DNA sequence: TGTAAATATTGATATATATCAATGATGGAT
DNA sequence: ATCCATCATTGATATATATCAATATTTACA
């Protein structure tokens, strides 16, 4: 499902553009606009795969995507990416390969931008470079928290962290419609699907949350925070 | 233990300088040289602590340091840093705070460079900036591998990974003198000290390695690789 | 609307790993 | 040399978590 950009004539007017683009001049935005692609993905489709070349910078403009490492028999979801956020793998400055895979969780659209244009702008526009490094740094900090959660907390704490992540960072709502699967929740939390389900059930029984179809409501965020912190 | 730089009169002639400094002009190196500090640390001393301000870029010029996150009751060692490598926490572009702690494992010396000078050079010298981003990217890739090892491998695989890391990346020798403690080994591998010791013992009994005092010899690297890969 | 496929749920069981507790070794300071 | 403190080792036990297997539920699609 590939086609020329449709939902806006160019990057300058695109209200989907990620905020680091605010540091670009109109001329620089035009550079990015030139030759970019907009692509549509159905839920489940792979956007790019770990190990393949990464000639593009990917900006998710609608839907929801997941970034995941394909490990030993199971996946670890590093992050969910919603509009308007972008995916900039570390391979671009190293070996031009993707070091994790990305796929659409919901039907999604993304803009693909030639990575060389991006790198050129990094070199030419220090404000843009600073902002980019800041983004990469924020990602690293987030990863640190994630590693600690995964390696030092027990399952309850990890599920609590994942639910906060979904509620606060991804869906930005408290009763939220969970569009990811239980397997995805498990892959975020580094545990088996069955364990994730069981803990969800316990939280429900303890009155910490309610589940209504695909909708999850954290009714006792304070206690859930407690669970997150005590591991 | 703080004193003005001693082991070289300035950064330009310092044969300890980390390779990204190769992208700097003599004038720029002089900028770094001006006002930098060299500090000596005894084994065990803290170089900087998680949560504190990070006004400096730290370059380890002798000895061995560890970077670790202080988590819930235990530490996770992110990396060991040997000469000549540098420590550049992600907080510098975000909140000017350290997001992990660093301490000297062996008696060590380090050069501290004002972070603002560093950031200024990033803005002014695109080659330097590119190289810096590359380093940050390499670090991110390494972290991904680490997370997968920690979350998806069993203890045997994790200890194997840690031993390869020590042998190949840190001590760069096969019978190597292990200057880190068993607790450190456990903190690298995300397990209890007792478990780390037990696995070391098993490896010894299976003839995969020999331990002679503080020296460890991986006598069957092939089998150890196997263990690393089968988790 | 009905049917197959995918996903979710639950229970029973096996096992990897941590914890606790005790003992042994090692290295520095006096 | 001796003592104390730290570190390493070992064993016994508890427990968190995965795995396996069966069933229920939802979703997609003809």
């Amino acid at each position: 499902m590939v086609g020329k950009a449709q939902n806006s004539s160019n990057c300058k007017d695109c209200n989907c553009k990620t905020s680091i683009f605010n540091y670009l001049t109109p001329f620089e935005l035009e550079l990015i606009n030139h030759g970019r692609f907009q692509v549509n993905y159905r839920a489940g489709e792979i956007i790019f795969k770990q190990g393949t070349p990464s000639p593009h910078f990917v900006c998710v403009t609608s839907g929801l995507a997941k970034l995941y490492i394909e490990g030993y028999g199971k996946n670890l979801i590093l992050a969910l990416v919603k509009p308007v956020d972008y995916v900039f793998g570390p391979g671009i400055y190293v070996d031009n390969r993707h070091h994790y895979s990305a796929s659409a969780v919901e039907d999604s659209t993304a803009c693909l931008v030639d990575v060389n244009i991006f790198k050129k702008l990094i070199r030419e526009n220090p404000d843009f470079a600073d902002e980019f490094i800041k983004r990469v740094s924020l990602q690293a900090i987030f990863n640190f928290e994630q590693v600690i959660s995964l390696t030092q907390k027990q399952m309850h704490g990890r599920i609590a962290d994942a639910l906060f992540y979904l509620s606060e960072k991804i869906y930005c709502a408290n009763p939220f419609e969970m569009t990811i699967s239980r397997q995805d929740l498990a892959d975020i939390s580094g545990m088996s699907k069955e364990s994730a389900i069981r803990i969800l059930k316990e939280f429900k029984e303890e009155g910490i949350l309610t589940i209504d179809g695909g909708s999850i409501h954290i009714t006792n965020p304070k206690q859930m925070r407690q669970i997150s912190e005590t591991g």
Side-chain angles (χ1 to χ4, degrees), chain A:
Chain A
M1 287 202 151
V2 178
K4 262 290 185 185
Q6 290 170 343
N7 65 353
S8 79
S9 55
N10 69 56
C11 294
K12 189 155 69 71
D13 305 324
C14 176
N15 59 5
C16 287
K17 66 173 183 279
T18 174
S19 65
I20 62 166
F21 287 179
N22 294 337
Y23 293 83
L24 295 179
T25 65
F27 176 77
E28 288 169 335
L29 271 175
E30 183 49 39
L31 258 179
I32 291 218
N33 186 52
H34 178 78
R36 89 183 199 284
F37 270 91
Q38 180 168 307
V39 187
N40 300 311
Y41 301 94
R42 295 266 199 79
E45 282 186 341
I46 287 187
I47 299 173
F48 56 76
K49 192 152 166 72
Q50 187 173 323
T52 62
S54 59
H56 298 111
F57 166 98
V58 177
C59 195
V60 175
T61 51
S62 81
L64 186 66
K66 64 177 176 184
L67 310 184
Y68 58 101
I69 298 180
E70 303 184 33
Y72 298 84
K74 54 184 173 176
N75 297 334
L76 177 70
I77 294 182
L78 295 173
L80 296 175
V81 182
K82 61 170 186 172
V84 183
D85 217 341
Y86 67 104
V87 180
F88 197 96
I92 285 170
Y93 274 88
V94 176
D95 55 5
N96 263 298
R97 290 282 180 283
H98 288 293
H99 290 264
Y100 46 76
S101 297
S103 71
V105 173
E106 306 169 9
D107 291 348
S108 304
T109 56
C111 278
L112 307 191
V113 180
D114 181 342
V115 113
N116 291 314
I117 295 175
F118 196 85
K119 286 169 88 167
K120 181 170 138 70
L121 293 176
I122 294 278
R123 288 180 66 87
E124 292 173 357
N125 183 334
D127 289 334
F128 185 62
D130 276 356
E131 190 61 22
F132 171 71
I133 295 172
K134 184 177 172 183
R135 290 300 193 92
V136 170
S137 298
L138 276 167
Q139 182 63 39
I141 291 170
F142 175 77
N143 286 150
F144 289 159
E145 285 165 15
Q146 197 182 22
V147 176
I148 288 299
S149 174
L150 288 174
T151 59
Q152 301 196 349
K153 290 185 185 180
Q154 302 190 184
M155 294 196 299
H156 294 255
R158 273 148 44 206
I159 288 289
D161 286 345
L163 291 173
F164 277 131
Y165 174 66
L166 292 172
S167 164
E168 295 173 355
K169 302 279 177 63
I170 300 305
Y171 299 115
C172 302
N174 191 343
F176 59 87
E177 201 65 26
M178 191 153 105
T179 55
I180 67 170
S181 68
R182 298 298 142 110
Q183 182 67 61
D184 285 336
L185 178 64
D187 288 346
I188 291 175
S189 320
M191 66 185 66
S192 71
K193 176 188 56 191
E194 293 92 334
S195 292
I197 288 168
R198 262 184 267 267
I199 286 161
L200 235 33
K201 188 186 173 192
E202 283 182 48
F203 283 175
K204 202 166 56 180
E205 285 166 356
E206 290 165 24
I208 300 170
L209 53 77
T210 60
I211 301 178
D212 178 21
S215 173
I216 289 189
H217 187 189
I218 303 172
T219 49
N220 194 340
K222 208 170 163 181
Q223 193 179 348
M224 187 121 106
R225 184 68 62 193
Q226 175 83 5
I227 290 168
S228 159
E229 278 162 12
T230 56

